[in-house]
Amino acid sequence: LERSLLTQPWASVCFGESTFLAKACFRDTGYILLISDLSSVWYESADAKAVGQRSKELNKRLTVRVPAFLHRLRNLMCPLLAGQPDAATCFSCHHTASSLSLHMKSELSGLPFYWDFHCCPAPVEMVSRHLVQPLIRMSLVLQYQVQELTSLLLQKDAEIKDYRESGAALSRDRLRTEPFQEETFQQKFMAEVRSGAS
């Protein structure tokens, strides 16, 4: 399940009045859910036996086989993670430094359908695999792209300068650009990042 979870993208979701990043993976054998508020990371991994026991406690009027129950959970959570929440499904959460409880209320066959996700702090290894390592890899890719684009801009400026020195002129003056100044660009960009963060 966790290996499959690695391929799932993070999604921004609202549970109650709180906004989180979340990802989940559901199978007939259980599910795994990972949630972060960028300060803490919580997770829950539940197998079919745990799901069956909890479903009986929360939904005494429902008689549903565990795989069908997990399928229903997936059908309620996946649209939410895709940015298309079901209006008939309500979520609320309560979290502390040591736990996060996510309560879900919906309907199944005309009867109330309840589920509680009981999340605990994610191990450091899991946080590294799902959050830290992908962020560092993406940061390195973006740095490489910036270096490549900077090199390309400098080459274009050299090409334009050569055209001008050869007597070429712009047919439309509004297309004129100033030569790219890498240091000035970096300073301006960082200033905008800081003002946006504040």
Side-chain angles (χ1 to χ4, degrees):
L1 273 173
E2 193 190 340
R3 197 178 304 118
S4 298
L5 187 66
L6 280 169
T7 65
Q8 300 299 313
W10 286 95
S12 178
V13 293
C14 290
F15 296 131
E17 296 180 355
S18 303
T19 301
F20 297 91
L21 290 176
K23 54 162 53 181
C25 183
F26 292 86
R27 296 283 185 270
D28 289 347
T29 54
Y31 68 80
I32 184 168
L33 173 69
L34 199 56
I35 298 179
S36 174
D37 62 358
L38 297 183
S39 293
S40 302
V41 182
W42 302 272
Y43 88 107
E44 183 184 35
S45 180
D47 59 18
K49 182 179 179 181
V51 170
Q53 183 176 344
R54 194 179 304 170
S55 67
K56 290 176 184 176
E57 295 170 359
L58 295 172
N59 301 280
K60 293 181 172 60
R61 296 169 62 190
L62 285 174
T63 304
V64 184
R65 291 176 58 248
V66 172
F69 196 94
L70 282 160
H71 184 73
R72 177 61 177 166
L73 278 179
R74 186 188 68 180
N75 286 346
L76 292 172
M77 285 295 291
C78 288
L80 175 74
L81 295 174
Q84 301 169 335
D86 181 357
T89 304
C90 299
F91 289 90
S92 60
C93 76
H94 174 73
H95 66 90
T96 64
S98 59
S99 68
L100 180 142
S101 298
L102 179 61
H103 179 69
M104 180 172 65
K105 179 182 179 182
S106 187
E107 285 188 1
L108 180 61
S109 301
L111 293 173
F113 177 90
Y114 301 104
W115 188 253
D116 289 336
F117 295 94
H118 300 305
C119 302
C120 61
V124 172
E125 296 83 3
M126 180 181 282
V127 175
S128 177
R129 277 193 301 273
H130 290 272
L131 204 58
V132 178
Q133 291 178 21
L135 285 173
I136 289 175
R137 282 196 293 267
M138 182 55 67
S139 177
L140 291 172
V141 168
L142 291 173
Q143 286 179 34
Y144 175 76
Q145 286 182 336
V146 168
Q147 289 170 359
E148 289 293 298
L149 288 170
T150 298
S151 177
L152 183 61
L153 281 170
L154 293 173
Q155 289 177 40
K156 289 290 184 184
D157 279 347
E159 183 179 343
I160 291 169
K161 183 181 178 183
D162 185 66
Y163 287 144
R164 286 177 179 166
E165 290 176 350
S166 300
L170 284 171
S171 60
R172 286 167 288 184
D173 199 58
R174 63 183 175 81
L175 296 176
R176 187 179 301 279
T177 58
E178 294 298 321
F180 179 68
Q181 302 289 336
E182 182 178 1
E183 188 175 342
T184 303
F185 172 80
Q186 292 284 6
Q187 290 173 353
K188 182 181 177 183
F189 178 79
M190 292 307 297
E192 289 175 354
V193 168
R194 291 191 195 97
S195 63
S198 60

